[in-house]
Amino acid sequence: MAERRRDAAAVAPEVDGAVEVLERFVLGSGKRIRPTFAWWGWRGAGGDPARAGVVLRAVSALELLQACALVHDDYIDASATRRGCPTVHVEFAARHRDAGWTGEAERFGAAAAILLGDLALAWADDMLQGSGLDAAALARAGEPWRAMRTEVLCGQYLDVLAQARADTTSASAMRVNRFKTAAYTVERPLHIGAALAGADDALTDAYRRFGADVGVAFQLRDDMLGVFGDPEVTGKPAGDDLREGKRTLLVALALERADERGDAAAAQVVTQALGDADLDDAGVDRVRQVLVDLGATDAVEDRIATLTTSALDALDGADVAEPAAAMLADLADRATRRRR
């Protein structure tokens, strides 16, 4: 980030002030789950310890990809906070208002967030390419890296499309989970780690099965936290997923069960809350109770448990070097049981 800030400052001092926000976003809080999975994927595939520094720099590029996804996602979802702080588009809109600049503050905030997200994506590519990997390792990692970028952006489009169509089916929710989150959170990072180590097809396939299941379970936990999470822990207001109108599996299962029971009143509580930007805490509590009463929360918890078990089975059947095997199992548990 220091290197890239110098590049930006050479363009103009004002640009450095904007990039400082991106640097703070990347280096602040965050779970670092993507580079961590990639690192242990590399270790588990027998990565050469002599190349540790180079590989660490390469997999850390995933944090810049994550920054791009989050900055853009927060703008798309009109989220006001992230990790307990104003989101990037909100911060730049506030800067515009405080300075008394011309034009609309919200449009300026949106433009800044889009451009900084793009910058993070460009720098992610720069970081991977300039990590010091040899040509063969870089070529091997290039395949999952390219696939991952396509999957996450297409998954994001499927997410906004589902909201636009008011598609609340389980199939739609799971398709979004698979590509928007699972692929770039666990599956492809592990694939990248395996590629860097020159892993064979058997281990790569096992990693991908493990990663796909853990990644979906990770997103399902995120969906639960989006409705039931503690704002002091998650850094986001309780019920924000409802206000944003997210068509999650939790919502889909609730509506399917309400339809099966002929409970139009329960369905109405959920559908009226979806996309209601003014939904208050009492409204969130009503939705929570309906989700519990319909058994949707238990169903999602069961799905998380099933996916985690399936993932661990895939890992157990693979030839993963220690201590990576134990670390990956622990990461799977932490990713699916987390509180933030």
Side-chain angles (χ1 to χ4, degrees):
M1 293 305 299
E3 291 170 6
R4 288 301 179 263
R5 277 192 69 179
R6 286 193 293 271
D7 293 343
V11 174
E14 296 90 340
V15 179
D16 180 64
V19 172
E20 186 273 333
V21 175
L22 178 60
E23 180 182 50
R24 179 163 23 99
F25 187 89
V26 173
L27 299 182
S29 58
K31 293 178 270 299
R32 314 297 187 208
I33 191 170
R34 292 156 186 86
T36 302
F37 271 113
W39 171 263
W40 287 109
W42 174 73
R43 290 283 305 275
D48 180 3
R51 303 294 291 164
V54 170
V55 171
L56 184 62
R57 184 175 177 87
V59 301
S60 294
L62 289 160
E63 279 297 293
L64 286 165
L65 178 73
Q66 166 73 340
C68 166
L70 292 184
V71 170
H72 285 173
D73 196 49
D74 284 341
Y75 171 63
I76 290 168
D77 291 340
S79 297
T81 60
R82 164 76 63 180
R83 301 166 180 167
C85 299
T87 49
V88 172
H89 66 278
V90 168
E91 178 166 346
F92 278 91
R95 287 188 179 194
H96 184 286
R97 282 191 294 270
D98 292 345
W101 293 334
T102 60
E104 299 176 15
E106 286 70 24
R107 289 194 65 181
F108 176 78
I114 291 168
L115 293 169
L116 286 176
D118 289 349
L119 196 59
L121 180 59
W123 286 353
D125 284 339
D126 291 347
M127 191 170 188
L128 177 66
Q129 295 293 328
S131 62
L133 292 170
D134 61 71
L138 195 57
R140 291 194 302 268
E143 177 191 347
W145 180 266
R146 288 188 294 271
M148 176 182 60
R149 291 181 306 174
T150 298
E151 287 160 354
V152 67
L153 294 172
C154 290
Q156 180 69 75
Y157 176 73
L158 290 175
D159 190 21
V160 297
L161 183 65
Q163 293 189 49
R165 291 175 168 174
D167 188 342
T168 55
T169 61
S170 295
S172 173
M174 290 300 287
R175 187 172 62 162
V176 171
N177 291 343
R178 173 70 179 81
F179 292 106
K180 180 184 174 183
T181 301
Y184 97 107
T185 299
V186 186
E187 180 187 356
R188 292 302 187 181
L190 280 170
H191 190 176
I192 289 168
L196 291 175
D200 60 23
D201 289 345
L203 181 56
T204 300
D205 290 346
Y207 271 170
R208 293 192 63 186
R209 291 195 304 273
F210 169 85
D213 285 348
V214 171
V216 172
F218 176 91
Q219 181 57 52
L220 296 182
R221 176 61 62 207
D222 210 50
D223 295 343
M224 293 289 284
L225 293 173
V227 178
F228 293 93
D230 180 353
E232 294 296 321
V233 178
T234 64
K236 296 188 72 173
D240 241 21
D241 280 4
L242 298 171
R243 297 184 187 94
E244 292 164 9
K246 288 190 176 180
R247 267 59 183 179
T248 64
L249 183 68
L250 180 64
V251 167
L253 292 176
L255 293 177
E256 287 170 6
R257 286 166 180 249
D259 183 59
E260 290 168 2
R261 298 179 186 183
D263 193 341
Q268 186 175 36
V269 169
V270 176
T271 55
Q272 287 186 342
L274 280 179
D276 181 1
D278 298 320
L279 186 68
D280 58 17
D281 290 343
V284 173
D285 286 340
R286 284 193 296 272
V287 176
R288 286 172 170 166
Q289 190 59 56
V290 166
L291 295 174
V292 171
D293 291 344
L294 290 171
T297 53
D298 286 343
V300 172
E301 289 290 356
D302 289 344
R303 189 75 65 95
I304 291 172
T306 298
L307 286 165
T308 304
T309 299
S310 174
L312 293 175
D313 286 345
L315 190 65
D316 287 342
D319 184 18
V320 182
E322 292 290 3
M327 285 300 303
L328 288 172
D330 181 63
L331 285 169
D333 183 70
R334 283 190 279 161
T336 56
R337 294 179 185 271
R338 63 199 168 87
R339 296 179 59 238
R340 70 178 182 95

